Amino acid sequence: MPKDLPPTLLRTDWTRAETEAIYHKPFMDLLYQAQTVHRAHFDPNQVQMSRLLSVKTGGCAEDCSYCSQSAKNGATLPASKLMEVERVISEARKAKAAGATRYCMGAAWREPKDRDMAAIEAMVRGVRDLGMETCMTLGMLSDSQVLRLRDAGLDYYNHNIDTSESFYPEVITTRTFADRIDTLVRVREAGIKVCSGGILGMGETAGDRIDMLLALATLPEHPESVPINMLIPMADTPLAKADPVNPIDFVRVVALGRILMPASYLRLSAGRTGMSDEMQALCLFAGANSLFMGNRLLTAANPEEDRDRQLFAKLGLRPEPLAAGCIGV
């Protein structure tokens, strides 16, 4: 878990110029700085293990160019109904037995309907009763929905900003970058922890990647969790033939995120199936300290648990235990 440090060390006044200068440092200097910051805030040999479950798949009204669940961008994934609560709890129980301490649930919605909220609340309560941290990603939320999630005991709400504000319209047109930020503000004001990050490999520039992290690092409070995704090109989507991200460039983004947001969990998320052990090791050295376990991330593939165990053994890493008292808002 994060170490207790004076809040003055967590800056929210980063400038574009100094952030860009950090990103473009010689690679070894950048990694040294990131690892130094990481060690000041976290155990460098512990990694938080999370599990992600799609509780409602396909048929989303958004046109996110990267997503196979969109009903608008040409993807053909069929829509499903919201998963039954007992099945979600059963899957969470299996995840905990496999070593996960954090359970994330995602639904392919632009925003949830009020008629679905009772089931969503029951999922949150059920997973918390297992002694796991809870996270939901449901799209945009109304004020009343945020309060219902808070009262159900939700620990984290995930709502990625995806990319920079200037590049955002190239990826999504059915909602704005400001809509994303507004949701984050609403969640924070309710007392729920924020999980927000981005996706690399959508055609953005290095400047866009810097600006994405800068947008998060200059919020009034840093997100407690920052997922860094590498695009998995999905068939029938506009980004199906996107060029792969250069591994060194990806590691640079992880390192910059660690330096800008020292006490946040940096979650190495989608795209790990396309990463070598060496690339993942560099990401972990650069400050990533959370992984999704299990062979599926919503609709995308994820490394098998055996591969993660082998990687941990090679690197001398161990899963982070769930500290007593860390659950709650």
Side-chain angles (χ1 to χ4, degrees), residues 31-99:
L31 289 189
Y32 178 78
Q33 182 178 355
Q35 175 65 191
T36 301
V37 170
H38 186 57
R39 284 175 176 268
H41 291 254
F42 291 95
D43 183 329
N45 295 308
Q46 283 190 353
V47 179
Q48 183 192 63
M49 304 304 290
S50 303
R51 182 69 71 95
L52 175 61
L53 177 70
S54 177
V55 299
K56 190 276 175 189
T57 303
C60 182
E62 303 283 9
D63 68 353
C64 307
S65 298
Y66 52 81
C67 188
S68 63
Q69 303 197 65
S70 169
K72 294 188 174 183
N73 69 11
T76 57
L77 186 71
S80 70
K81 294 181 179 180
L82 183 65
M83 192 177 289
E84 293 180 356
V85 173
E86 285 307 314
R87 183 180 169 195
V88 172
I89 305 308
S90 175
E91 293 298 322
R93 195 174 289 113
K94 294 175 187 176
K96 181 180 180 180

Side-chain angles (χ1 to χ4, degrees), residues 124 128 133-135 146-157 187-194 224 325-329:
V124 172
R128 286 187 105 247
E133 287 186 345
T134 55
C135 182
V146 171
L147 295 178
R148 290 181 69 171
L149 290 171
R150 180 199 66 189
D151 293 344
L154 184 68
D155 295 296
Y156 288 83
Y157 192 75
V187 166
R188 174 68 75 193
E189 289 178 347
I192 300 172
K193 296 174 184 176
V194 171
E224 286 84 355
C326 76
I327 293 179
V329 295

Side-chain angles (χ1 to χ4, degrees), residues 1-317:
M1 302 301 297
K3 298 178 181 178
D4 293 326
L5 291 171
T8 52
L9 295 180
L10 304 181
R11 291 180 52 189
T12 58
D13 61 348
W14 295 99
T15 68
R16 179 59 162 75
E18 64 183 328
T19 303
E20 186 173 19
I22 294 170
Y23 177 85
H24 289 294
K25 277 188 171 186
F27 189 63
M28 299 307 173
D29 293 343
L30 177 64
L31 289 189
Y32 178 78
Q33 182 178 355
Q35 175 65 191
T36 301
V37 170
H38 186 57
R39 284 175 176 268
H41 291 254
F42 291 95
D43 183 329
N45 295 308
Q46 283 190 353
V47 179
Q48 183 192 63
M49 304 304 290
S50 303
R51 182 69 71 95
L52 175 61
L53 177 70
S54 177
V55 299
K56 190 276 175 189
T57 303
C60 182
E62 303 283 9
D63 68 353
C64 307
S65 298
Y66 52 81
C67 188
S68 63
Q69 303 197 65
S70 169
K72 294 188 174 183
N73 69 11
T76 57
L77 186 71
S80 70
K81 294 181 179 180
L82 183 65
M83 192 177 289
E84 293 180 356
V85 173
E86 285 307 314
R87 183 180 169 195
V88 172
I89 305 308
S90 175
E91 293 298 322
R93 195 174 289 113
K94 294 175 187 176
K96 181 180 180 180
T101 58
R102 175 186 170 100
Y103 202 67
C104 307
M105 295 157 277
W109 285 323
R110 175 178 169 82
E111 66 271 316
K113 293 181 172 62
D114 286 338
R115 67 170 181 258
D116 294 313
M117 288 303 296
I120 293 295
E121 292 167 73
M123 292 174 191
V124 172
R125 293 191 181 100
V127 174
R128 286 187 105 247
D129 286 346
L130 295 176
M132 303 177 77
E133 287 186 345
T134 55
C135 182
M136 278 281 181
T137 179
L138 310 170
M140 296 186 291
L141 299 171
S142 67
D143 288 336
S144 63
Q145 289 169 342
V146 171
L147 295 178
R148 290 181 69 171
L149 290 171
R150 180 199 66 189
D151 293 344
L154 184 68
D155 295 296
Y156 288 83
Y157 192 75
N158 168 258
H159 200 61
N160 291 337
I161 60 173
D162 289 341
T163 188
S164 70
E165 184 172 11
S166 61
F167 190 68
Y168 189 90
E170 302 297 318
V171 181
I172 304 164
T173 66
T174 48
R175 78 172 97 173
T176 67
F177 189 86
D179 289 333
R180 299 262 181 173
I181 298 297
D182 179 66
T183 298
L184 297 181
V185 171
R186 189 171 290 150
V187 166
R188 174 68 75 193
E189 289 178 347
I192 300 172
K193 296 174 184 176
V194 171
C195 175
S196 187
I199 304 171
L200 278 57
M202 300 187 294
E204 76 284 347
T205 65
D208 290 316
R209 296 167 185 171
I210 293 168
D211 287 340
M212 181 269 290
L213 289 176
L214 188 61
L216 296 173
T218 54
L219 290 170
E221 293 182 64
H222 296 160
E224 286 84 355
S225 172
V226 181
I228 306 294
N229 298 274
M230 186 170 74
L231 178 71
I232 302 175
M234 306 298 286
D236 301 318
T237 65
L239 290 173
K241 296 183 179 180
D243 292 330
V245 179
N246 178 279
I248 298 299
D249 292 343
F250 190 95
V251 176
R252 281 188 179 276
V253 171
V254 174
L256 180 62
R258 172 51 67 218
I259 293 165
L260 298 184
M261 294 171 279
S264 302
Y265 279 89
L266 289 189
R267 199 172 308 285
L268 200 57
S269 300
R272 289 203 297 125
T273 51
M275 299 181 188
S276 66
D277 285 355
E278 292 79 8
M279 180 179 174
Q280 292 187 73
L282 280 175
C283 288
L284 293 165
F285 186 79
N289 63 334
S290 182
L291 301 177
F292 280 115
M293 60 189 297
N295 62 358
R296 299 296 294 175
L297 291 182
L298 297 179
T299 62
N302 195 52
E304 297 284 348
E305 289 173 27
D306 282 347
R307 181 185 170 191
D308 285 338
R309 280 192 285 268
Q310 291 167 9
L311 178 63
F312 274 41
K314 288 179 184 178
L315 302 179
L317 299 176

